[in-house]
Amino acid sequence: MLPSHLNGHSPLARRRPHLPASMIKDRVRTDAYREAIMLHQKFIEGKVVMDVGCGTGILSVFCARAGAKRVYAVDASEIATQASEIVKANNLADKIVVIHGRVEDVDVEEKVDVIISEWMGYMLLYESMLPSVLFARDKWLKPGGLILPSHATLFMAPITNSDRYEGSIDFWCDVYGINMSALVPLAKKFASEEPSIEIIGGENVISWPFVVKHIDCYTFTVEEFKSITTTYKVSSMMLAPIHGFGLWFEVEFNGPAESCSNLSSDLSPLDIIQKKRRRASDSTVVLSTAPEDEPTHWHQTILYFPDPIGVTQDQIIEGSVTITPSEENPRCLNIHLECSTGGQNLVKDFAMR
């Protein structure tokens, strides 16, 4: 196995099965769901809920404690067995029905009033369970029902990260006084071959973000998920090298009759910020994974360039990005990025496996 300095620090292809402690310990994530459930308690109390991909069942327990009449907690993994034990340990076996199986394969004999799911993956769409949520919506959700979260937006912006580049690439030029620069081309290849999951700060982002995709869970279709493309044109806020692009997302928990302002890719950066501020009110809950917000277990997803591209303040950066599910495994992603600035052009493909 390549050393971490060479392999881009990516955990994607080498993860082992584990308990979902990082998700549950993620207070930003867990508190947002609990707050949203209580905010929309009037839609949950006395109603039937389906928890798609329930995991440990924590969201099912929150819904039951909020007064749900019945909760169908569905999960395809073996953790469904432990979820059943957790339900019993909390004296909720009369309200929560744990079903071990894919939501596409299980039998539920009644319609539901609410669908809740923590379906988001890295950069929102990697290993996402969104298609399963859409399946459950179309098969079981009653007209006027509630979906939590209701909306999701994927953002992207150019980033600078000299410390990361020096640690992954320049490191090999002098290793304990030994010239290992012969490894630099290989280091560049591996650092930019697949996306990197890591935490960056707002200071690393060198332009206003643009919207890659806005998803309304009440109307979005599986067909739309097959290819997501947007063009962008942003202006650098500083003199800095661009080391790549960062992606992050936010989800909103709106009521069934509410419609989130559609953050289309045509909006100006100022429009996006103003809309986000207006939504940060008592009428909705927003879970954000942006670099300037409190870190979550999703971190941010970085698409690193093999070589940095220098830009000056106010320099235009433009291009396009296309995201498609992998043909081999639809839960994995292929990302095609085109970037042009100051006469420099980059076309790069990333495989998120």
Side-chain angles (χ1 to χ4, degrees), residues 285-307:
V285 175
V286 177
L287 166 56
S288 172
T289 66
E292 68 270 18
D293 292 321
E294 187 176 346
T296 70
H297 77 279
W298 287 285
H299 303 331
Q300 287 82 41
T301 301
I302 313 299
L303 309 178
Y304 278 109
F305 298 165
D307 295 286

Side-chain angles (χ1 to χ4, degrees), residues 151-299:
H151 301 82
T153 307
L154 177 62
F155 295 95
M156 188 171 174
I159 63 106
T160 186
N161 195 346
S162 295
D163 290 343
R164 170 70 164 76
Y165 188 84
E166 291 170 3
S168 298
I169 310 300
D170 294 343
F171 167 84
W172 297 103
C173 295
D174 184 354
V175 183
Y176 300 103
I178 302 170
N179 185 342
M180 294 189 177
S181 56
L183 287 172
V184 167
L186 191 60
K188 289 181 179 181
K189 177 179 182 294
F190 278 98
S192 62
E193 191 171 47
E194 62 180 12
S196 178
I197 308 302
E198 57 188 81
I199 294 176
I200 59 172
E203 69 276 6
N204 297 111
V205 181
I206 66 172
S207 82
W208 291 113
F210 58 90
V211 174
V212 177
K213 188 64 179 178
H214 177 73
I215 294 172
D216 183 335
C217 294
Y218 292 105
T219 60
F220 193 73
T221 66
V222 173
E223 193 67 25
E224 293 178 83
F225 189 68
K226 291 181 179 179
S227 182
I228 294 171
T229 299
T230 192
T231 58
Y232 62 89
K233 186 176 182 179
V234 294
S235 176
S236 172
M237 295 187 291
M238 65 182 78
L239 171 67
I242 304 176
H243 290 101
F245 278 79
L247 296 105
W248 59 89
F249 66 88
E250 66 177 32
V251 297
E252 300 171 52
F253 299 83
N254 294 307
E258 301 167 37
S259 177
C260 161
S261 300
N262 194 326
L263 297 185
S264 75
S265 56
D266 296 330
L267 290 177
S268 71
L270 184 58
D271 288 335
I272 294 172
I273 299 302
Q274 288 175 339
K275 285 178 181 293
K276 288 181 71 176
R277 286 174 178 168
R278 284 199 295 269
R279 295 201 312 273
S281 65
D282 292 338
S283 62
T284 190
V285 175
V286 177
L287 166 56
S288 172
T289 66
E292 68 270 18
D293 292 321
E294 187 176 346
T296 70
H297 77 279
W298 287 285
H299 303 331

